[in-house]
Amino acid sequence: MSSREMLPFNAAAAVPDAANLLTGLSALVQCQNSAELQQKLVGWLAELGNCALVQLYLLDASHSRLPLCCQWLDGQLGGEHGEDGLTAPLLAYSLSQNTPLQLDELDRSLHATPFLPASSAAWRSLLCQPILDRRQQVGGLLVLASRARGLGRALTLPLDMVGNIALAQLHAMQQAELALQAPDLPLPEPATASKLGSFGLIGESPAMQQVYRLISKVLHNPVTVLLGGETGTGKELVARAIHDYGSRRSQPFIAQNCSALPEQLLESELFGYRKGAFTGADQDREGLFDAANGGTLFLDEIGDMPLALQAKLLRVLQEGEVRPLGSNQSHRVDVRIVAATHQDLFSQVEQGGFREDLYYRLSHFPISLPPLRERGSDIRQLALQFTQETCTFLQRSHCRWSDTALAYLATQRFPGNVRELKGLIARALLLCDGNLLLPEHLDLPNTPTQAHRLTLREQLEAVERNLLNEALQQHNGNQTLTARMLGLPRRTLLYRMQRLGIALRSRSQAQCLPK
């Protein structure tokens, strides 16, 4: 890229004049394709900031990955593309908070910077600038790094403006390029759950892959989500993932348990009140709907909400309006509702304990979380993760698991699900005097007291039980398809399921998830 095409900013002043700015923007607009635009952008910004490294990261269609799309390093294009910036805490923070991040003195011992390429001289300063699309939602990051101390703070505003314009132009080019594709070319392969990532959640079982796929469908639209599943399956974690990886990530996330407060207090907590509305209301107070305006309100245990409050919640969902206690005026709020319950709301509707109109308004997009006993190998992965986290919390040396203890965990049903497993591991670590976790530390029902080792048959049955559960979950309980995948006659599959204590579910009992 020649200096005639793009004039650099005045490095001494660190603020561009109008002529230089217009020259650079004009060169971007005249690019013929998206690849050329990306390359000219990073090259120009390297001159703009007088820095050795410029990286352009763009969110993918699901907003679950932040791949490196283009890099300018020491005067030329280079570097590996496709690296996920969300794995770097500094980039993930700047993106999720929608705020520039500037480090004038970069300390590699304090800040993890795996996204910076290897260099003979240390990188000394860093600037991360979120860029917005035409809908004013975060679409990616610009990263500038220098081997000298300090990148001018005056760069933040020009970067913001240039990045936003370039991103809008880039999206327009990409849409035009797709429109010009021949009609007989195959369409891009739809993103699967495995490609979308886990949204910060733990688990790779087919049941969790289905959950990830459903989460990806609701990240960037305001549809109300209803999370179902047994207690302890991680409903609040999923609600946070929907918020943190969605378009409202930079706005508040407010959680409220509907069963934790009596009706009158819950109403004032949600809707707020005006001075004099009741005894003790000596000043105006905004409610959680106002506090979550622009963001997400998570209503846990929605099935325990009193009927009178359900009517007020229905109006918020339908009209987007909130009326505080003691006020005769309503005002509009923009809040995304994510509700959760471990109860069967449809049964409550039939029994008169839950409003039918609210039920259908909440259940536009249900996501059912699988119990831990149906997640197979996830139990091992969760156990290892919780062990590491708990050891850090307890400030003790890391503990490892014995094979027999891990195999024994896989045989348990865990009625309290992930919450029970986490508490169990915390207790086991307190009971463990050494650095090896054994079955005797788990204190589970029927834990062997004489022998600390499972027999070979018990270990093999635990492995087989996990495989069958995963296969059944993958085929939504269809025994014929499961037997075909495992290479077994259907009669043999039924025999093994009965012998291993796996429930024989009919097709009508198989859980239906939205496609």
Side-chain angles (χ1 to χ4, degrees):
M1 179 177 56
S2 68
S3 59
R4 292 182 180 179
E5 289 178 316
M6 292 187 176
L7 298 177
F9 285 124
N10 185 337
V15 178
D17 59 38
N20 287 345
L21 182 59
L22 290 175
T23 301
L25 292 176
S26 176
L28 292 181
V29 173
Q30 294 174 13
C31 291
Q32 299 299 313
N33 54 62
S34 57
E36 181 186 0
L37 188 147
Q38 293 179 27
Q39 295 169 8
K40 285 194 173 183
L41 174 64
V42 294
W44 181 35
L45 294 181
E47 295 183 14
L48 179 156
N50 190 26
C51 54
L53 175 69
V54 176
Q55 295 176 328
L56 172 64
Y57 292 85
L58 296 176
L59 283 168
D60 67 357
S62 69
H63 281 212
S64 61
R65 293 187 69 253
L66 184 70
L68 173 62
C69 297
C70 196
Q71 176 174 281
W72 184 272
L73 176 62
D74 291 328
Q76 59 184 359
L77 293 168
E80 296 294 332
H81 291 188
E83 299 175 9
D84 188 3
L86 291 179
T87 61
L90 291 179
L91 303 189
Y93 172 82
S94 180
L95 186 78
S96 64
Q97 298 300 315
N98 190 13
T99 184
L101 176 64
Q102 181 162 354
L103 297 175
D104 294 325
E105 186 65 37
L106 186 60
D107 187 344
R108 299 291 289 271
S109 64
L110 297 177
H111 307 108
T113 55
F115 54 93
L116 295 180
S119 174
S120 56
W123 298 104
R124 303 296 297 275
S125 54
L126 178 72
L127 175 61
C128 304
Q129 175 65 49
I131 51 179
L132 308 179
D133 60 20
R134 290 178 174 177
R135 297 179 297 172
Q136 296 302 298
Q137 296 179 358
V138 181
L141 279 179
L142 286 169
V143 177
L144 281 67
S146 174
R147 298 184 181 93
R149 293 183 179 179
L151 281 168
R153 293 186 181 276
L155 288 174
T156 302
L157 182 58
L159 276 182
D160 181 36
M161 177 179 60
V162 172
N164 295 351
I165 294 175
L167 183 60
Q169 180 71 5
L170 181 62
H171 285 174
M173 284 184 172
Q174 291 173 340
Q175 291 177 359
E177 291 167 359
L178 289 175
L180 291 174
Q181 288 180 349
D184 56 343
L185 289 178
L187 294 176
E189 181 183 355
T192 61
S194 60
K195 296 178 182 177
L196 293 173
S198 59
F199 304 102
L201 304 174
I202 300 174
E204 299 178 357
S205 64
M208 288 304 295
Q209 294 292 333
Q210 173 72 339
V211 172
Y212 302 151
R213 187 183 73 83
L214 295 176
I215 291 176
S216 70
K217 302 297 183 183
V218 296
L219 290 181
H220 310 295
N221 59 67
V223 65
T224 301
V225 178
L226 179 62
L227 303 176
E230 298 177 5
T231 180
T233 50
K235 293 184 283 293
E236 183 168 352
L237 290 178
V238 173
R240 287 187 178 274
I242 293 173
H243 175 82
D244 291 342
Y245 287 84
S247 57
R248 296 173 180 251
R249 64 173 67 87
S250 60
Q251 302 301 319
F253 175 88
I254 307 293
Q256 175 61 51
N257 190 316
C258 297
S259 64
L261 299 173
E263 178 177 348
Q264 292 77 12
L265 187 55
L266 179 60
E267 182 177 8
S268 63
E269 190 74 11
L270 291 175
F271 298 94
Y273 54 82
R274 294 291 178 257
K275 182 179 179 180
F278 51 83
T279 303
D282 53 359
Q283 60 182 356
D284 292 350
R285 184 179 185 275
E286 71 174 15
L288 295 184
F289 280 105
D290 290 305
N293 193 23
T296 304
L297 179 60
F298 173 56
L299 298 177
D300 198 8
E301 299 302 343
I302 190 72
D304 294 328
M305 177 176 282
L307 285 171
L309 276 185
Q310 292 178 26
K312 296 194 68 173
L313 175 61
L314 180 63
R315 178 165 182 80
V316 177
L317 292 172
Q318 289 179 339
E319 307 297 335
E321 294 182 349
V322 170
R323 178 182 295 178
L325 293 176
S327 174
N328 56 5
Q329 293 183 347
S330 300
H331 60 273
R332 299 193 65 81
V333 292
D334 175 22
V335 178
R336 199 249 184 91
I337 301 294
V338 179
T341 181
H342 71 280
Q343 304 178 23
D344 184 350
L345 287 188
F346 187 75
S347 297
Q348 284 192 270
V349 170
E350 294 179 331
Q351 298 169 8
F354 200 84
R355 292 180 61 101
E356 183 177 9
D357 47 6
L358 179 59
Y359 169 75
Y360 289 114
R361 188 64 180 81
L362 287 173
S363 59
H364 281 180
F365 198 93
I367 300 179
S368 183
L369 304 188
L372 187 57
R373 61 184 173 273
E374 295 181 4
R375 293 177 56 179
S377 58
D378 288 353
I379 296 178
R380 176 189 177 92
Q381 189 176 354
L382 287 164
L384 297 177
Q385 178 68 24
F386 291 157
T387 301
Q388 181 179 353
E389 293 176 356
T390 307
C391 285
T392 302
F393 175 76
L394 296 176
Q395 298 182 354
R396 61 165 296 168
S397 58
H398 180 69
C399 287
R400 61 186 181 89
W401 284 83
S402 66
D403 293 338
T404 52
L406 281 176
Y408 194 74
L409 274 183
T411 67
Q412 303 304 305
R413 299 190 62 80
F414 291 109
N417 295 293
V418 180
R419 183 183 293 119
E420 180 185 357
L421 175 63
K422 190 171 185 178
L424 176 74
I425 291 174
R427 185 178 188 278
L429 288 171
L430 292 174
L431 293 174
C432 180
D433 294 326
N435 291 322
L436 181 65
L437 288 169
L438 301 170
E440 64 183 9
H441 300 134
L442 299 178
D443 193 29
L444 285 166
N446 303 322
T447 299
T449 56
Q450 302 298 328
H452 293 211
R453 286 192 168 274
L454 298 177
T455 65
L456 177 61
R457 172 177 293 180
E458 290 171 330
Q459 295 186 53
L460 291 175
E461 286 182 349
V463 173
E464 185 179 3
R465 184 180 293 106
N466 289 337
L467 289 174
L468 292 182
N469 274 323
E470 288 189 10
L472 286 165
Q473 183 69 26
Q474 186 175 351
H475 292 92
N476 203 24
N478 188 306
Q479 297 157 4
T480 302
L481 293 178
T482 301
R484 186 179 303 166
M485 187 192 79
L486 295 174
L488 297 174
R490 185 173 181 274
R491 181 174 300 177
T492 302
L493 174 66
L494 296 177
Y495 168 75
R496 299 303 300 174
M497 290 173 62
Q498 184 176 8
R499 188 174 184 279
L500 294 171
I502 299 175
L504 301 176
R505 293 185 294 180
S506 65
R507 180 169 300 185
S508 62
Q509 293 172 311
Q511 185 177 22
C512 294
L513 294 172
K515 301 295 183 186

